[in-house]
């Protein structure tokens, strides 16, 4: 899988792949990354990439030409182009699993007040928001989605079982979990976890997952 990032700030994105699981995925050849500053594609004499909104309104908008030309320069036959904006479809775990099967995803990160709609209409395969809040730019949104997608690529996580029991897999949040010490600041691990009866532990986890989901996501 290759992730290609079109952004005005490649330097704030690169470092995310320089440690831990995603660094190892790159070393193992499971993941490749490319960072492209779409300002380089601006035909403006001052390399401008933003203009006031047509018809008025606060803030500046990204002009379509540099983004379109940057996409054309990196696009391959099987590329899948994702634009980031708070006005997009909400990204979820199902999307992460589905997109983990793609060959190349091009993430286009917005800035300012976003994109000229014509470049989205013409070039986006999907348009995602990572939640109902507004970031200063789409870089974090692109990284959040990349991270969620990458851990669903076969071989990226050491223990594939961790993909089975986690939140959202059964339509529920994952149950609370515990580790040693058995007693911490007066609270003990639920005794069932220490007795080794796996059927009982599973039943307990299921009811805790249900309760937690009811509490946080009624
Ligand atoms: N850009 C700014 N805010 C965003 C969000 N919530 N999701 C995706 N892209 C964004």
């Amino acid at each position: 899988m290759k992730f290609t990032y079109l952004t005005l700030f490649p330097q704030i994105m690169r470092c995310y792949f320089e440690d831990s699981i995603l660094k190892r995925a790159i070393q193992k050849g499971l993941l490749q990354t490319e960072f492209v500053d779409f300002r380089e594609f601006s035909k403006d004499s001052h390399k401008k990439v933003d203009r006031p909104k047509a018809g008025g309104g606060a803030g500046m908008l990204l002009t379509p030409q540099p983004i379109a030309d940057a996409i054309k320069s990196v696009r391959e036959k099987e590329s899948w182009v994702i634009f980031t904006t708070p006005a997009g479809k909400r990204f979820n775990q199902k999307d992460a699993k589905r997109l983990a099967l793609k060959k190349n995803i091009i993430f286009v990160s917005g800035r300012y007040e976003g994109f000229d709609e014509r470049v989205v209409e013409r070039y986006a395969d999907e348009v995602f928001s990572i939640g109902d809040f507004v970031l200063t730019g789409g870089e974090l949104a692109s990284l959040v989605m990349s991270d969620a997608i990458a851990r669903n690529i076969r071989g990226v996580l050491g223990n594939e079982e961790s993909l089975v029991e986690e939140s959202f897999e059964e339509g529920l949040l994952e149950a609370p979990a515990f580790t040693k010490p058995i007693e911490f600041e007066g609270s003990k691990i639920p005794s069932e976890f220490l007795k080794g009866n796996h059927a009982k532990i599973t039943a307990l986890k299921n009811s805790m997952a249900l309760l937690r989901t009811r509490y946080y996501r009624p």
Side-chain angles (χ1 to χ4, degrees), residues 172-210:
L172 293 175
L173 300 181
E174 192 177 356
F178 307 89
T179 183
K180 289 199 167 161
I182 290 171
E183 184 169 339
F184 169 70
E185 296 190 353
S187 296
K188 285 192 175 160
I189 296 178
S191 59
E192 219 60 81
F193 282 84
L194 306 170
K195 292 183 195 151
N197 181 332
H198 291 289
K200 281 202 169 161
I201 292 172
T202 303
L204 181 60
K205 278 187 181 172
N206 285 343
S207 58
M208 287 198 300
L210 201 66

Side-chain angles (χ1 to χ4, degrees), residues 19-214:
D19 266 303
S20 189
I21 291 175
L22 298 186
K23 176 184 178 182
R24 249 177 287 136
I26 290 171
Q27 287 170 340
K28 285 200 249 172
L30 299 169
L31 191 64
Q32 266 183 288
T33 55
E34 185 185 3
F35 303 88
V36 177
D37 181 351
F38 59 80
R39 188 182 298 281
E40 302 296 321
F41 290 81
S42 173
K43 291 190 173 137
D44 178 87
S45 55
H46 299 102
K47 295 261 176 225
K48 259 178 88 78
V49 290
D50 59 320
R51 294 268 175 220
K53 280 184 188 166
M60 305 288 269
L61 220 53
L62 290 164
T63 55
Q65 175 271 318
I67 294 172
D69 286 352
I71 291 173
K72 285 183 230 165
S73 87
V74 295
R75 198 165 50 175
E76 294 158 18
K77 220 168 109 213
E78 297 184 66
S79 294
W80 191 254
V81 180
I82 292 177
F83 278 62
T84 59
T85 162
K89 178 169 68 168
R90 181 89 65 83
F91 181 80
N92 66 27
Q93 184 70 1
K94 274 209 180 89
D95 297 312
K97 286 196 178 295
R98 172 175 56 85
L99 293 167
L101 303 173
K102 299 276 181 206
K103 275 237 165 82
N104 168 223
I105 301 178
I106 299 172
F107 291 95
V108 188
S109 299
R111 277 272 153 177
Y112 314 115
E113 291 299 307
F115 306 100
D116 181 307
E117 191 61 24
R118 293 168 296 177
V119 77
V120 182
E121 272 189 13
R122 189 172 288 267
Y123 292 97
D125 291 303
E126 282 186 274
V127 181
F128 278 120
S129 164
I130 59 160
D132 288 346
F133 45 82
V134 183
L135 301 164
T136 54
E139 285 76 15
L140 282 176
S142 295
L143 289 175
V144 164
M145 291 188 275
S146 310
D147 187 290
I149 294 166
R151 62 195 293 288
N152 284 288
I153 298 170
R154 184 169 283 281
V156 166
L157 291 186
N159 181 3
E160 304 274 318
E161 271 176 36
S162 49
L163 285 175
V164 176
E165 263 199 21
E166 65 191 359
S167 289
F168 316 116
E169 285 307 318
E170 306 287 337
L172 293 175
L173 300 181
E174 192 177 356
F178 307 89
T179 183
K180 289 199 167 161
I182 290 171
E183 184 169 339
F184 169 70
E185 296 190 353
S187 296
K188 285 192 175 160
I189 296 178
S191 59
E192 219 60 81
F193 282 84
L194 306 170
K195 292 183 195 151
N197 181 332
H198 291 289
K200 281 202 169 161
I201 292 172
T202 303
L204 181 60
K205 278 187 181 172
N206 285 343
S207 58
M208 287 198 300
L210 201 66
L211 286 171
R212 169 177 269 201
T213 308
R214 222 180 258 156

